[in-house]
Amino acid sequence: MALSRTGPVRSEAARLAILDAAVSLFTERGYDHLTMEGIARRAGVGKQTIYRWWPSKGDVIAEAILEGRLLGGRRELPDTGDARADLAAWLTDLFTLRASPDGEGLLRSLVAAAAGSAETGRRLRAEILAAPLSHRLSQAMGGITGPRLDAAADALLGAVILRALSREDFGQDDMLLLVDAIVGPAAR
């Protein structure tokens, strides 16, 4: 679903061409070499068309992620029946992605897009991080819901974002420790 906008109505075909072009160029060249000019050329639209709808390349990439065009299954948590292990595995996968050249660019684009637009930041948090995380986190915490669950999700995501921004290596054992710090130690 596209962000709500004011102003001229955009062509759905042009919007999809822009997102497809951004994903293709991101995959081929990485975030650092992605430009609005390149996206416009590949999509067959004017650069002003892109800027009318998205203020930055980070916002284009954020929308591509929100629509499932980037990250794919990485948004979904595994479901092995062990919520703690599933959370740790998902976090490990995110850190493995972050350590890749494309992952660095994705992280920077998401941070830039969220910093530039509160609405984009809310959507990224709700649709990419909090939604897949909440159910499994609730299971790991004995079925809690409401504000306590939201606070735990925020704490876990905040720790992950800080670690990712500092570019620290983090393995499965580290992720289990982080999950234990947020949800409490595993029952013996």
Side-chain angles (χ1 to χ4, degrees):
M1 180 174 156
L3 296 174
S4 61
R5 299 183 191 335
T6 58
V9 176
R10 64 178 168 188
S11 157
E12 183 65 6
R15 186 184 79 79
L16 294 174
I18 291 165
L19 292 174
D20 288 343
V23 169
S24 294
L25 290 168
F26 181 90
T27 303
E28 292 169 15
R29 301 179 186 161
Y31 184 75
D32 290 337
H33 300 289
L34 184 67
T35 64
M36 294 295 244
E37 293 84 3
I39 295 169
R41 192 170 31 258
R42 176 78 57 99
V45 300
K47 188 169 69 168
Q48 69 278 9
T49 299
I50 300 173
Y51 279 115
R52 189 177 312 127
W53 301 325
W54 295 282
S56 72
K57 67 182 184 179
D59 288 293
V60 178
I61 293 299
E63 188 155 335
I65 291 169
L66 286 166
E67 291 193 7
R69 295 170 179 273
L70 279 173
L71 287 186
R74 285 191 156 106
R75 290 175 60 178
E76 302 302 320
L77 269 83
D79 189 357
T80 65
D82 182 344
R84 300 170 94 70
D86 292 346
L87 287 165
W90 183 68
L91 293 171
T92 301
D93 186 50
L94 289 180
F95 270 81
T96 301
L97 173 65
R98 195 274 317 148
S100 72
D102 288 345
E104 278 293 316
L106 279 173
L107 177 64
R108 283 198 310 274
S109 67
L110 293 176
V111 170
S117 165
E119 175 62 21
T120 299
R122 280 189 291 276
R123 285 187 63 213
L124 287 168
R125 178 180 181 269
E127 295 178 35
I128 292 180
L129 300 172
L133 180 63
S134 291
H135 177 70
R136 199 72 82 248
L137 191 55
S138 176
Q139 288 176 327
M141 297 180 75
I144 67 158
T145 60
R148 187 162 172 244
L149 177 61
D150 293 341
D154 287 347
L156 185 58
L157 293 173
V160 168
I161 290 168
L162 286 174
R163 296 289 179 131
L165 289 173
S166 68
R167 296 181 171 109
E168 291 181 46
D169 288 331
F170 235 46
Q172 182 80 12
D173 291 340
D174 299 312
M175 292 303 163
L176 284 169
L177 287 172
L178 181 57
V179 169
D180 283 350
I182 300 299
V183 304
R188 301 275 177 223

